[in-house]
Amino acid sequence: KQFLTDVNWGPLDSLIIDTPPGTSDEHLSIVTYLGDSNIDGAVIVTTPQEVSLMDVRKEINFCRKVGLPIIGVVENMSGFVCPNCNCEEKIFAPSSGGAEEMCAKMNVPLLGKIPLDGRVARAGDAGVPLTQLSPDSKVAKAIDAVITKILKQTDR
């Protein structure tokens, strides 16, 4: 509560809040405390596995119940990009169609699929954006595409 209500953030372009999976008290508190601040919506992140998708379905239903717009869903760890050949392997193959099928069934935008790539960790360790370290990588392009879709919905 204090973080959301007692901090003078000043003018912001964005405030991104990363919450734990599920529909815990934190989610309800955020929606309640920021209710008058014109929240653009929720970006929900999942992995391709059914256990993660089950939580995301609950989160989508929660957002709908409290009137929080859903910007879309991002499927993280959608595959693994080989550092040698740049091929992508589905190491977490979805058993139920992954985020793409879930989004279609629940009528929610799929913002993109982001594969695993060791260059993400190296970029973070070096303190540089992945797009600077490896601008032509599949992951950098996937992240840029997701950001572009989010900005199209939130820039006013």
mmCIF file with all atom_site columns, all heavy atoms in Angstrom, residues 18-22 42-48 52-53 55-57 59-60 72-77 99 102 111-112 114 146 150:
data_model
loop_
_atom_site.group_PDB
_atom_site.id
_atom_site.type_symbol
_atom_site.label_atom_id
_atom_site.label_alt_id
_atom_site.label_comp_id
_atom_site.label_asym_id
_atom_site.label_entity_id
_atom_site.label_seq_id
_atom_site.pdbx_PDB_ins_code
_atom_site.Cartn_x
_atom_site.Cartn_y
_atom_site.Cartn_z
_atom_site.occupancy
_atom_site.B_iso_or_equiv
_atom_site.pdbx_formal_charge
_atom_site.auth_seq_id
_atom_site.auth_comp_id
_atom_site.auth_asym_id
_atom_site.auth_atom_id
_atom_site.pdbx_PDB_model_num
ATOM 1   N N   . ASP A 1 18  ? 5.591  -5.841  -11.395 1.00 0.00 ? 18  ASP A N   1
ATOM 2   C CA  . ASP A 1 18  ? 5.721  -7.286  -11.581 1.00 0.00 ? 18  ASP A CA  1
ATOM 3   C C   . ASP A 1 18  ? 5.144  -7.972  -10.353 1.00 0.00 ? 18  ASP A C   1
ATOM 4   O O   . ASP A 1 18  ? 5.573  -7.709  -9.236  1.00 0.00 ? 18  ASP A O   1
ATOM 5   C CB  . ASP A 1 18  ? 7.201  -7.635  -11.764 1.00 0.00 ? 18  ASP A CB  1
ATOM 6   C CG  . ASP A 1 18  ? 7.435  -9.089  -12.114 1.00 0.00 ? 18  ASP A CG  1
ATOM 7   O OD1 . ASP A 1 18  ? 6.454  -9.811  -12.405 1.00 0.00 ? 18  ASP A OD1 1
ATOM 8   O OD2 . ASP A 1 18  ? 8.601  -9.513  -12.089 1.00 0.00 ? 18  ASP A OD2 1
ATOM 9   N N   . THR A 1 19  ? 4.143  -8.802  -10.566 1.00 0.00 ? 19  THR A N   1
ATOM 10  C CA  . THR A 1 19  ? 3.483  -9.466  -9.444  1.00 0.00 ? 19  THR A CA  1
ATOM 11  C C   . THR A 1 19  ? 3.689  -10.976 -9.522  1.00 0.00 ? 19  THR A C   1
ATOM 12  O O   . THR A 1 19  ? 3.980  -11.518 -10.591 1.00 0.00 ? 19  THR A O   1
ATOM 13  C CB  . THR A 1 19  ? 1.973  -9.173  -9.445  1.00 0.00 ? 19  THR A CB  1
ATOM 14  O OG1 . THR A 1 19  ? 1.404  -9.681  -10.649 1.00 0.00 ? 19  THR A OG1 1
ATOM 15  C CG2 . THR A 1 19  ? 1.698  -7.691  -9.311  1.00 0.00 ? 19  THR A CG2 1
ATOM 16  N N   . PRO A 1 20  ? 3.493  -11.650 -8.397  1.00 0.00 ? 20  PRO A N   1
ATOM 17  C CA  . PRO A 1 20  ? 3.610  -13.113 -8.422  1.00 0.00 ? 20  PRO A CA  1
ATOM 18  C C   . PRO A 1 20  ? 2.461  -13.728 -9.218  1.00 0.00 ? 20  PRO A C   1
ATOM 19  O O   . PRO A 1 20  ? 1.428  -13.082 -9.425  1.00 0.00 ? 20  PRO A O   1
ATOM 20  C CB  . PRO A 1 20  ? 3.526  -13.497 -6.938  1.00 0.00 ? 20  PRO A CB  1
ATOM 21  C CG  . PRO A 1 20  ? 2.873  -12.351 -6.261  1.00 0.00 ? 20  PRO A CG  1
ATOM 22  C CD  . PRO A 1 20  ? 3.191  -11.130 -7.070  1.00 0.00 ? 20  PRO A CD  1
ATOM 23  N N   . PRO A 1 21  ? 2.636  -14.968 -9.663  1.00 0.00 ? 21  PRO A N   1
ATOM 24  C CA  . PRO A 1 21  ? 1.558  -15.631 -10.407 1.00 0.00 ? 21  PRO A CA  1
ATOM 25  C C   . PRO A 1 21  ? 0.301  -15.788 -9.556  1.00 0.00 ? 21  PRO A C   1
ATOM 26  O O   . PRO A 1 21  ? 0.357  -15.809 -8.333  1.00 0.00 ? 21  PRO A O   1
ATOM 27  C CB  . PRO A 1 21  ? 2.129  -17.011 -10.739 1.00 0.00 ? 21  PRO A CB  1
ATOM 28  C CG  . PRO A 1 21  ? 3.567  -16.963 -10.402 1.00 0.00 ? 21  PRO A CG  1
ATOM 29  C CD  . PRO A 1 21  ? 3.791  -15.817 -9.480  1.00 0.00 ? 21  PRO A CD  1
ATOM 30  N N   . GLY A 1 22  ? -0.824 -15.893 -10.239 1.00 0.00 ? 22  GLY A N   1
ATOM 31  C CA  . GLY A 1 22  ? -2.075 -16.157 -9.547  1.00 0.00 ? 22  GLY A CA  1
ATOM 32  C C   . GLY A 1 22  ? -2.910 -14.909 -9.351  1.00 0.00 ? 22  GLY A C   1
ATOM 33  O O   . GLY A 1 22  ? -2.701 -13.890 -9.993  1.00 0.00 ? 22  GLY A O   1
ATOM 34  N N   . ALA A 1 42  ? -3.237 -4.843  -18.062 1.00 0.00 ? 42  ALA A N   1
ATOM 35  C CA  . ALA A 1 42  ? -2.321 -5.880  -17.602 1.00 0.00 ? 42  ALA A CA  1
ATOM 36  C C   . ALA A 1 42  ? -1.665 -6.566  -18.790 1.00 0.00 ? 42  ALA A C   1
ATOM 37  O O   . ALA A 1 42  ? -2.314 -6.873  -19.780 1.00 0.00 ? 42  ALA A O   1
ATOM 38  C CB  . ALA A 1 42  ? -3.077 -6.913  -16.772 1.00 0.00 ? 42  ALA A CB  1
ATOM 39  N N   . VAL A 1 43  ? -0.358 -6.777  -18.664 1.00 0.00 ? 43  VAL A N   1
ATOM 40  C CA  . VAL A 1 43  ? 0.371  -7.654  -19.571 1.00 0.00 ? 43  VAL A CA  1
ATOM 41  C C   . VAL A 1 43  ? 0.653  -8.900  -18.756 1.00 0.00 ? 43  VAL A C   1
ATOM 42  O O   . VAL A 1 43  ? 1.294  -8.840  -17.710 1.00 0.00 ? 43  VAL A O   1
ATOM 43  C CB  . VAL A 1 43  ? 1.693  -7.012  -20.060 1.00 0.00 ? 43  VAL A CB  1
ATOM 44  C CG1 . VAL A 1 43  ? 2.505  -8.020  -20.862 1.00 0.00 ? 43  VAL A CG1 1
ATOM 45  C CG2 . VAL A 1 43  ? 1.407  -5.764  -20.874 1.00 0.00 ? 43  VAL A CG2 1
ATOM 46  N N   . ILE A 1 44  ? 0.144  -10.011 -19.222 1.00 0.00 ? 44  ILE A N   1
ATOM 47  C CA  . ILE A 1 44  ? 0.248  -11.256 -18.469 1.00 0.00 ? 44  ILE A CA  1
ATOM 48  C C   . ILE A 1 44  ? 1.290  -12.140 -19.149 1.00 0.00 ? 44  ILE A C   1
ATOM 49  O O   . ILE A 1 44  ? 1.246  -12.342 -20.360 1.00 0.00 ? 44  ILE A O   1
ATOM 50  C CB  . ILE A 1 44  ? -1.120 -11.955 -18.398 1.00 0.00 ? 44  ILE A CB  1
ATOM 51  C CG1 . ILE A 1 44  ? -2.143 -11.003 -17.760 1.00 0.00 ? 44  ILE A CG1 1
ATOM 52  C CG2 . ILE A 1 44  ? -1.019 -13.260 -17.626 1.00 0.00 ? 44  ILE A CG2 1
ATOM 53  C CD1 . ILE A 1 44  ? -3.572 -11.487 -17.826 1.00 0.00 ? 44  ILE A CD1 1
ATOM 54  N N   . VAL A 1 45  ? 2.230  -12.650 -18.352 1.00 0.00 ? 45  VAL A N   1
ATOM 55  C CA  . VAL A 1 45  ? 3.311  -13.473 -18.878 1.00 0.00 ? 45  VAL A CA  1
ATOM 56  C C   . VAL A 1 45  ? 3.113  -14.908 -18.431 1.00 0.00 ? 45  VAL A C   1
ATOM 57  O O   . VAL A 1 45  ? 2.785  -15.171 -17.272 1.00 0.00 ? 45  VAL A O   1
ATOM 58  C CB  . VAL A 1 45  ? 4.688  -12.942 -18.405 1.00 0.00 ? 45  VAL A CB  1
ATOM 59  C CG1 . VAL A 1 45  ? 5.821  -13.801 -18.947 1.00 0.00 ? 45  VAL A CG1 1
ATOM 60  C CG2 . VAL A 1 45  ? 4.869  -11.483 -18.825 1.00 0.00 ? 45  VAL A CG2 1
ATOM 61  N N   . THR A 1 46  ? 3.326  -15.824 -19.349 1.00 0.00 ? 46  THR A N   1
ATOM 62  C CA  . THR A 1 46  ? 3.185  -17.246 -19.067 1.00 0.00 ? 46  THR A CA  1
ATOM 63  C C   . THR A 1 46  ? 4.347  -18.000 -19.702 1.00 0.00 ? 46  THR A C   1
ATOM 64  O O   . THR A 1 46  ? 5.178  -17.418 -20.394 1.00 0.00 ? 46  THR A O   1
ATOM 65  C CB  . THR A 1 46  ? 1.844  -17.788 -19.607 1.00 0.00 ? 46  THR A CB  1
ATOM 66  O OG1 . THR A 1 46  ? 1.666  -19.135 -19.164 1.00 0.00 ? 46  THR A OG1 1
ATOM 67  C CG2 . THR A 1 46  ? 1.764  -17.735 -21.122 1.00 0.00 ? 46  THR A CG2 1
ATOM 68  N N   . THR A 1 47  ? 4.399  -19.272 -19.438 1.00 0.00 ? 47  THR A N   1
ATOM 69  C CA  . THR A 1 47  ? 5.271  -20.188 -20.165 1.00 0.00 ? 47  THR A CA  1
ATOM 70  C C   . THR A 1 47  ? 4.347  -21.170 -20.886 1.00 0.00 ? 47  THR A C   1
ATOM 71  O O   . THR A 1 47  ? 3.144  -21.195 -20.606 1.00 0.00 ? 47  THR A O   1
ATOM 72  C CB  . THR A 1 47  ? 6.237  -20.929 -19.217 1.00 0.00 ? 47  THR A CB  1
ATOM 73  O OG1 . THR A 1 47  ? 5.483  -21.679 -18.271 1.00 0.00 ? 47  THR A OG1 1
ATOM 74  C CG2 . THR A 1 47  ? 7.164  -19.961 -18.501 1.00 0.00 ? 47  THR A CG2 1
ATOM 75  N N   . PRO A 1 48  ? 4.874  -21.984 -21.797 1.00 0.00 ? 48  PRO A N   1
ATOM 76  C CA  . PRO A 1 48  ? 3.992  -22.850 -22.587 1.00 0.00 ? 48  PRO A CA  1
ATOM 77  C C   . PRO A 1 48  ? 3.327  -23.990 -21.796 1.00 0.00 ? 48  PRO A C   1
ATOM 78  O O   . PRO A 1 48  ? 2.349  -24.558 -22.264 1.00 0.00 ? 48  PRO A O   1
ATOM 79  C CB  . PRO A 1 48  ? 4.923  -23.450 -23.651 1.00 0.00 ? 48  PRO A CB  1
ATOM 80  C CG  . PRO A 1 48  ? 6.153  -22.625 -23.640 1.00 0.00 ? 48  PRO A CG  1
ATOM 81  C CD  . PRO A 1 48  ? 6.249  -22.004 -22.288 1.00 0.00 ? 48  PRO A CD  1
ATOM 82  N N   . SER A 1 52  ? 1.385  -23.421 -15.911 1.00 0.00 ? 52  SER A N   1
ATOM 83  C CA  . SER A 1 52  ? 1.446  -21.956 -15.958 1.00 0.00 ? 52  SER A CA  1
ATOM 84  C C   . SER A 1 52  ? 0.189  -21.379 -16.592 1.00 0.00 ? 52  SER A C   1
ATOM 85  O O   . SER A 1 52  ? -0.355 -20.371 -16.131 1.00 0.00 ? 52  SER A O   1
ATOM 86  C CB  . SER A 1 52  ? 2.684  -21.514 -16.745 1.00 0.00 ? 52  SER A CB  1
ATOM 87  O OG  . SER A 1 52  ? 2.766  -20.118 -16.806 1.00 0.00 ? 52  SER A OG  1
ATOM 88  N N   . LEU A 1 53  ? -0.288 -22.019 -17.647 1.00 0.00 ? 53  LEU A N   1
ATOM 89  C CA  . LEU A 1 53  ? -1.487 -21.541 -18.335 1.00 0.00 ? 53  LEU A CA  1
ATOM 90  C C   . LEU A 1 53  ? -2.712 -21.579 -17.425 1.00 0.00 ? 53  LEU A C   1
ATOM 91  O O   . LEU A 1 53  ? -3.598 -20.730 -17.540 1.00 0.00 ? 53  LEU A O   1
ATOM 92  C CB  . LEU A 1 53  ? -1.734 -22.360 -19.596 1.00 0.00 ? 53  LEU A CB  1
ATOM 93  C CG  . LEU A 1 53  ? -0.668 -22.198 -20.688 1.00 0.00 ? 53  LEU A CG  1
ATOM 94  C CD1 . LEU A 1 53  ? -0.830 -23.268 -21.752 1.00 0.00 ? 53  LEU A CD1 1
ATOM 95  C CD2 . LEU A 1 53  ? -0.728 -20.809 -21.297 1.00 0.00 ? 53  LEU A CD2 1
ATOM 96  N N   . ASP A 1 55  ? -2.775 -20.903 -14.210 1.00 0.00 ? 55  ASP A N   1
ATOM 97  C CA  . ASP A 1 55  ? -2.718 -19.657 -13.426 1.00 0.00 ? 55  ASP A CA  1
ATOM 98  C C   . ASP A 1 55  ? -3.107 -18.455 -14.277 1.00 0.00 ? 55  ASP A C   1
ATOM 99  O O   . ASP A 1 55  ? -3.803 -17.553 -13.821 1.00 0.00 ? 55  ASP A O   1
ATOM 100 C CB  . ASP A 1 55  ? -1.305 -19.426 -12.872 1.00 0.00 ? 55  ASP A CB  1
ATOM 101 C CG  . ASP A 1 55  ? -1.043 -20.183 -11.582 1.00 0.00 ? 55  ASP A CG  1
ATOM 102 O OD1 . ASP A 1 55  ? -2.002 -20.634 -10.941 1.00 0.00 ? 55  ASP A OD1 1
ATOM 103 O OD2 . ASP A 1 55  ? 0.145  -20.327 -11.231 1.00 0.00 ? 55  ASP A OD2 1
ATOM 104 N N   . VAL A 1 56  ? -2.667 -18.441 -15.515 1.00 0.00 ? 56  VAL A N   1
ATOM 105 C CA  . VAL A 1 56  ? -2.944 -17.310 -16.399 1.00 0.00 ? 56  VAL A CA  1
ATOM 106 C C   . VAL A 1 56  ? -4.437 -17.224 -16.721 1.00 0.00 ? 56  VAL A C   1
ATOM 107 O O   . VAL A 1 56  ? -5.001 -16.128 -16.773 1.00 0.00 ? 56  VAL A O   1
ATOM 108 C CB  . VAL A 1 56  ? -2.073 -17.389 -17.670 1.00 0.00 ? 56  VAL A CB  1
ATOM 109 C CG1 . VAL A 1 56  ? -2.540 -16.418 -18.731 1.00 0.00 ? 56  VAL A CG1 1
ATOM 110 C CG2 . VAL A 1 56  ? -0.620 -17.122 -17.300 1.00 0.00 ? 56  VAL A CG2 1
ATOM 111 N N   . ARG A 1 57  ? -5.081 -18.351 -16.909 1.00 0.00 ? 57  ARG A N   1
ATOM 112 C CA  . ARG A 1 57  ? -6.537 -18.326 -17.135 1.00 0.00 ? 57  ARG A CA  1
ATOM 113 C C   . ARG A 1 57  ? -7.255 -17.684 -15.944 1.00 0.00 ? 57  ARG A C   1
ATOM 114 O O   . ARG A 1 57  ? -8.172 -16.877 -16.116 1.00 0.00 ? 57  ARG A O   1
ATOM 115 C CB  . ARG A 1 57  ? -7.064 -19.744 -17.367 1.00 0.00 ? 57  ARG A CB  1
ATOM 116 C CG  . ARG A 1 57  ? -6.713 -20.312 -18.719 1.00 0.00 ? 57  ARG A CG  1
ATOM 117 C CD  . ARG A 1 57  ? -7.341 -21.711 -18.907 1.00 0.00 ? 57  ARG A CD  1
ATOM 118 N NE  . ARG A 1 57  ? -6.739 -22.380 -20.031 1.00 0.00 ? 57  ARG A NE  1
ATOM 119 C CZ  . ARG A 1 57  ? -5.729 -23.239 -19.961 1.00 0.00 ? 57  ARG A CZ  1
ATOM 120 N NH1 . ARG A 1 57  ? -5.206 -23.564 -18.789 1.00 0.00 ? 57  ARG A NH1 1
ATOM 121 N NH2 . ARG A 1 57  ? -5.240 -23.801 -21.056 1.00 0.00 ? 57  ARG A NH2 1
ATOM 122 N N   . GLU A 1 59  ? -5.931 -15.519 -13.892 1.00 0.00 ? 59  GLU A N   1
ATOM 123 C CA  . GLU A 1 59  ? -5.578 -14.101 -13.901 1.00 0.00 ? 59  GLU A CA  1
ATOM 124 C C   . GLU A 1 59  ? -6.418 -13.338 -14.928 1.00 0.00 ? 59  GLU A C   1
ATOM 125 O O   . GLU A 1 59  ? -6.877 -12.225 -14.665 1.00 0.00 ? 59  GLU A O   1
ATOM 126 C CB  . GLU A 1 59  ? -4.083 -13.927 -14.200 1.00 0.00 ? 59  GLU A CB  1
ATOM 127 C CG  . GLU A 1 59  ? -3.591 -12.519 -14.053 1.00 0.00 ? 59  GLU A CG  1
ATOM 128 C CD  . GLU A 1 59  ? -3.607 -12.004 -12.627 1.00 0.00 ? 59  GLU A CD  1
ATOM 129 O OE1 . GLU A 1 59  ? -3.484 -12.804 -11.683 1.00 0.00 ? 59  GLU A OE1 1
ATOM 130 O OE2 . GLU A 1 59  ? -3.767 -10.782 -12.466 1.00 0.00 ? 59  GLU A OE2 1
ATOM 131 N N   . ILE A 1 60  ? -6.631 -13.929 -16.084 1.00 0.00 ? 60  ILE A N   1
ATOM 132 C CA  . ILE A 1 60  ? -7.471 -13.292 -17.105 1.00 0.00 ? 60  ILE A CA  1
ATOM 133 C C   . ILE A 1 60  ? -8.888 -13.116 -16.568 1.00 0.00 ? 60  ILE A C   1
ATOM 134 O O   . ILE A 1 60  ? -9.491 -12.041 -16.710 1.00 0.00 ? 60  ILE A O   1
ATOM 135 C CB  . ILE A 1 60  ? -7.453 -14.112 -18.411 1.00 0.00 ? 60  ILE A CB  1
ATOM 136 C CG1 . ILE A 1 60  ? -6.074 -13.995 -19.078 1.00 0.00 ? 60  ILE A CG1 1
ATOM 137 C CG2 . ILE A 1 60  ? -8.565 -13.662 -19.364 1.00 0.00 ? 60  ILE A CG2 1
ATOM 138 C CD1 . ILE A 1 60  ? -5.853 -14.974 -20.216 1.00 0.00 ? 60  ILE A CD1 1
ATOM 139 N N   . GLY A 1 72  ? -2.569 -7.916  -23.185 1.00 0.00 ? 72  GLY A N   1
ATOM 140 C CA  . GLY A 1 72  ? -2.272 -9.157  -23.888 1.00 0.00 ? 72  GLY A CA  1
ATOM 141 C C   . GLY A 1 72  ? -1.414 -10.087 -23.061 1.00 0.00 ? 72  GLY A C   1
ATOM 142 O O   . GLY A 1 72  ? -1.089 -9.815  -21.912 1.00 0.00 ? 72  GLY A O   1
ATOM 143 N N   . VAL A 1 73  ? -1.071 -11.199 -23.696 1.00 0.00 ? 73  VAL A N   1
ATOM 144 C CA  . VAL A 1 73  ? -0.298 -12.257 -23.053 1.00 0.00 ? 73  VAL A CA  1
ATOM 145 C C   . VAL A 1 73  ? 1.019  -12.431 -23.803 1.00 0.00 ? 73  VAL A C   1
ATOM 146 O O   . VAL A 1 73  ? 1.055  -12.386 -25.037 1.00 0.00 ? 73  VAL A O   1
ATOM 147 C CB  . VAL A 1 73  ? -1.091 -13.583 -23.043 1.00 0.00 ? 73  VAL A CB  1
ATOM 148 C CG1 . VAL A 1 73  ? -0.246 -14.742 -22.534 1.00 0.00 ? 73  VAL A CG1 1
ATOM 149 C CG2 . VAL A 1 73  ? -2.354 -13.445 -22.209 1.00 0.00 ? 73  VAL A CG2 1
ATOM 150 N N   . VAL A 1 74  ? 2.082  -12.638 -23.047 1.00 0.00 ? 74  VAL A N   1
ATOM 151 C CA  . VAL A 1 74  ? 3.399  -12.941 -23.603 1.00 0.00 ? 74  VAL A CA  1
ATOM 152 C C   . VAL A 1 74  ? 3.754  -14.361 -23.176 1.00 0.00 ? 74  VAL A C   1
ATOM 153 O O   . VAL A 1 74  ? 3.639  -14.699 -21.999 1.00 0.00 ? 74  VAL A O   1
ATOM 154 C CB  . VAL A 1 74  ? 4.479  -11.964 -23.084 1.00 0.00 ? 74  VAL A CB  1
ATOM 155 C CG1 . VAL A 1 74  ? 5.855  -12.346 -23.611 1.00 0.00 ? 74  VAL A CG1 1
ATOM 156 C CG2 . VAL A 1 74  ? 4.136  -10.535 -23.441 1.00 0.00 ? 74  VAL A CG2 1
ATOM 157 N N   . GLU A 1 75  ? 4.164  -15.174 -24.145 1.00 0.00 ? 75  GLU A N   1
ATOM 158 C CA  . GLU A 1 75  ? 4.643  -16.516 -23.807 1.00 0.00 ? 75  GLU A CA  1
ATOM 159 C C   . GLU A 1 75  ? 6.159  -16.460 -23.713 1.00 0.00 ? 75  GLU A C   1
ATOM 160 O O   . GLU A 1 75  ? 6.851  -16.302 -24.719 1.00 0.00 ? 75  GLU A O   1
ATOM 161 C CB  . GLU A 1 75  ? 4.210  -17.536 -24.860 1.00 0.00 ? 75  GLU A CB  1
ATOM 162 C CG  . GLU A 1 75  ? 4.592  -18.961 -24.461 1.00 0.00 ? 75  GLU A CG  1
ATOM 163 C CD  . GLU A 1 75  ? 4.142  -19.983 -25.468 1.00 0.00 ? 75  GLU A CD  1
ATOM 164 O OE1 . GLU A 1 75  ? 4.887  -20.212 -26.452 1.00 0.00 ? 75  GLU A OE1 1
ATOM 165 O OE2 . GLU A 1 75  ? 3.042  -20.538 -25.287 1.00 0.00 ? 75  GLU A OE2 1
ATOM 166 N N   . ASN A 1 76  ? 6.674  -16.560 -22.503 1.00 0.00 ? 76  ASN A N   1
ATOM 167 C CA  . ASN A 1 76  ? 8.107  -16.559 -22.245 1.00 0.00 ? 76  ASN A CA  1
ATOM 168 C C   . ASN A 1 76  ? 8.612  -17.998 -22.308 1.00 0.00 ? 76  ASN A C   1
ATOM 169 O O   . ASN A 1 76  ? 7.853  -18.935 -22.088 1.00 0.00 ? 76  ASN A O   1
ATOM 170 C CB  . ASN A 1 76  ? 8.389  -15.944 -20.874 1.00 0.00 ? 76  ASN A CB  1
ATOM 171 C CG  . ASN A 1 76  ? 9.821  -15.513 -20.703 1.00 0.00 ? 76  ASN A CG  1
ATOM 172 O OD1 . ASN A 1 76  ? 10.556 -15.345 -21.662 1.00 0.00 ? 76  ASN A OD1 1
ATOM 173 N ND2 . ASN A 1 76  ? 10.238 -15.333 -19.461 1.00 0.00 ? 76  ASN A ND2 1
ATOM 174 N N   . MET A 1 77  ? 9.887  -18.172 -22.600 1.00 0.00 ? 77  MET A N   1
ATOM 175 C CA  . MET A 1 77  ? 10.497 -19.502 -22.698 1.00 0.00 ? 77  MET A CA  1
ATOM 176 C C   . MET A 1 77  ? 9.770  -20.376 -23.721 1.00 0.00 ? 77  MET A C   1
ATOM 177 O O   . MET A 1 77  ? 9.573  -21.561 -23.523 1.00 0.00 ? 77  MET A O   1
ATOM 178 C CB  . MET A 1 77  ? 10.561 -20.182 -21.330 1.00 0.00 ? 77  MET A CB  1
ATOM 179 C CG  . MET A 1 77  ? 11.417 -19.438 -20.336 1.00 0.00 ? 77  MET A CG  1
ATOM 180 S SD  . MET A 1 77  ? 11.756 -20.325 -18.824 1.00 0.00 ? 77  MET A SD  1
ATOM 181 C CE  . MET A 1 77  ? 10.242 -20.084 -17.932 1.00 0.00 ? 77  MET A CE  1
ATOM 182 N N   . ALA A 1 99  ? 0.233  -20.694 -25.094 1.00 0.00 ? 99  ALA A N   1
ATOM 183 C CA  . ALA A 1 99  ? -0.439 -19.400 -24.954 1.00 0.00 ? 99  ALA A CA  1
ATOM 184 C C   . ALA A 1 99  ? -1.253 -19.054 -26.189 1.00 0.00 ? 99  ALA A C   1
ATOM 185 O O   . ALA A 1 99  ? -2.308 -18.431 -26.088 1.00 0.00 ? 99  ALA A O   1
ATOM 186 C CB  . ALA A 1 99  ? 0.582  -18.310 -24.668 1.00 0.00 ? 99  ALA A CB  1
ATOM 187 N N   . MET A 1 102 ? -4.597 -20.802 -25.947 1.00 0.00 ? 102 MET A N   1
ATOM 188 C CA  . MET A 1 102 ? -5.335 -20.255 -24.812 1.00 0.00 ? 102 MET A CA  1
ATOM 189 C C   . MET A 1 102 ? -5.875 -18.864 -25.140 1.00 0.00 ? 102 MET A C   1
ATOM 190 O O   . MET A 1 102 ? -7.029 -18.552 -24.857 1.00 0.00 ? 102 MET A O   1
ATOM 191 C CB  . MET A 1 102 ? -4.449 -20.189 -23.567 1.00 0.00 ? 102 MET A CB  1
ATOM 192 C CG  . MET A 1 102 ? -5.177 -19.648 -22.353 1.00 0.00 ? 102 MET A CG  1
ATOM 193 S SD  . MET A 1 102 ? -4.094 -18.857 -21.158 1.00 0.00 ? 102 MET A SD  1
ATOM 194 C CE  . MET A 1 102 ? -3.436 -17.481 -22.068 1.00 0.00 ? 102 MET A CE  1
ATOM 195 N N   . LEU A 1 111 ? 0.624  -11.251 -27.467 1.00 0.00 ? 111 LEU A N   1
ATOM 196 C CA  . LEU A 1 111 ? 1.573  -10.203 -27.834 1.00 0.00 ? 111 LEU A CA  1
ATOM 197 C C   . LEU A 1 111 ? 2.834  -10.762 -28.473 1.00 0.00 ? 111 LEU A C   1
ATOM 198 O O   . LEU A 1 111 ? 3.496  -10.066 -29.239 1.00 0.00 ? 111 LEU A O   1
ATOM 199 C CB  . LEU A 1 111 ? 1.934  -9.369  -26.603 1.00 0.00 ? 111 LEU A CB  1
ATOM 200 C CG  . LEU A 1 111 ? 0.770  -8.631  -25.945 1.00 0.00 ? 111 LEU A CG  1
ATOM 201 C CD1 . LEU A 1 111 ? 1.222  -7.989  -24.646 1.00 0.00 ? 111 LEU A CD1 1
ATOM 202 C CD2 . LEU A 1 111 ? 0.179  -7.607  -26.890 1.00 0.00 ? 111 LEU A CD2 1
ATOM 203 N N   . GLY A 1 112 ? 3.167  -11.993 -28.147 1.00 0.00 ? 112 GLY A N   1
ATOM 204 C CA  . GLY A 1 112 ? 4.349  -12.600 -28.745 1.00 0.00 ? 112 GLY A CA  1
ATOM 205 C C   . GLY A 1 112 ? 4.867  -13.759 -27.935 1.00 0.00 ? 112 GLY A C   1
ATOM 206 O O   . GLY A 1 112 ? 4.405  -14.036 -26.833 1.00 0.00 ? 112 GLY A O   1
ATOM 207 N N   . ILE A 1 114 ? 8.561  -15.378 -26.677 1.00 0.00 ? 114 ILE A N   1
ATOM 208 C CA  . ILE A 1 114 ? 9.968  -15.035 -26.483 1.00 0.00 ? 114 ILE A CA  1
ATOM 209 C C   . ILE A 1 114 ? 10.741 -16.294 -26.097 1.00 0.00 ? 114 ILE A C   1
ATOM 210 O O   . ILE A 1 114 ? 10.490 -16.877 -25.043 1.00 0.00 ? 114 ILE A O   1
ATOM 211 C CB  . ILE A 1 114 ? 10.128 -13.942 -25.413 1.00 0.00 ? 114 ILE A CB  1
ATOM 212 C CG1 . ILE A 1 114 ? 9.333  -12.707 -25.836 1.00 0.00 ? 114 ILE A CG1 1
ATOM 213 C CG2 . ILE A 1 114 ? 11.606 -13.621 -25.191 1.00 0.00 ? 114 ILE A CG2 1
ATOM 214 C CD1 . ILE A 1 114 ? 9.297  -11.602 -24.838 1.00 0.00 ? 114 ILE A CD1 1
ATOM 215 N N   . VAL A 1 146 ? 6.944  -7.383  -29.153 1.00 0.00 ? 146 VAL A N   1
ATOM 216 C CA  . VAL A 1 146 ? 6.030  -7.318  -28.011 1.00 0.00 ? 146 VAL A CA  1
ATOM 217 C C   . VAL A 1 146 ? 5.888  -5.877  -27.532 1.00 0.00 ? 146 VAL A C   1
ATOM 218 O O   . VAL A 1 146 ? 4.774  -5.384  -27.302 1.00 0.00 ? 146 VAL A O   1
ATOM 219 C CB  . VAL A 1 146 ? 6.501  -8.246  -26.863 1.00 0.00 ? 146 VAL A CB  1
ATOM 220 C CG1 . VAL A 1 146 ? 5.760  -7.942  -25.562 1.00 0.00 ? 146 VAL A CG1 1
ATOM 221 C CG2 . VAL A 1 146 ? 6.325  -9.712  -27.248 1.00 0.00 ? 146 VAL A CG2 1
ATOM 222 N N   . ILE A 1 150 ? 2.528  -3.477  -27.295 1.00 0.00 ? 150 ILE A N   1
ATOM 223 C CA  . ILE A 1 150 ? 2.079  -2.844  -26.043 1.00 0.00 ? 150 ILE A CA  1
ATOM 224 C C   . ILE A 1 150 ? 1.948  -1.333  -26.238 1.00 0.00 ? 150 ILE A C   1
ATOM 225 O O   . ILE A 1 150 ? 0.953  -0.725  -25.843 1.00 0.00 ? 150 ILE A O   1
ATOM 226 C CB  . ILE A 1 150 ? 3.065  -3.164  -24.884 1.00 0.00 ? 150 ILE A CB  1
ATOM 227 C CG1 . ILE A 1 150 ? 2.994  -4.644  -24.522 1.00 0.00 ? 150 ILE A CG1 1
ATOM 228 C CG2 . ILE A 1 150 ? 2.752  -2.288  -23.661 1.00 0.00 ? 150 ILE A CG2 1
ATOM 229 C CD1 . ILE A 1 150 ? 4.082  -5.099  -23.566 1.00 0.00 ? 150 ILE A CD1 1
#
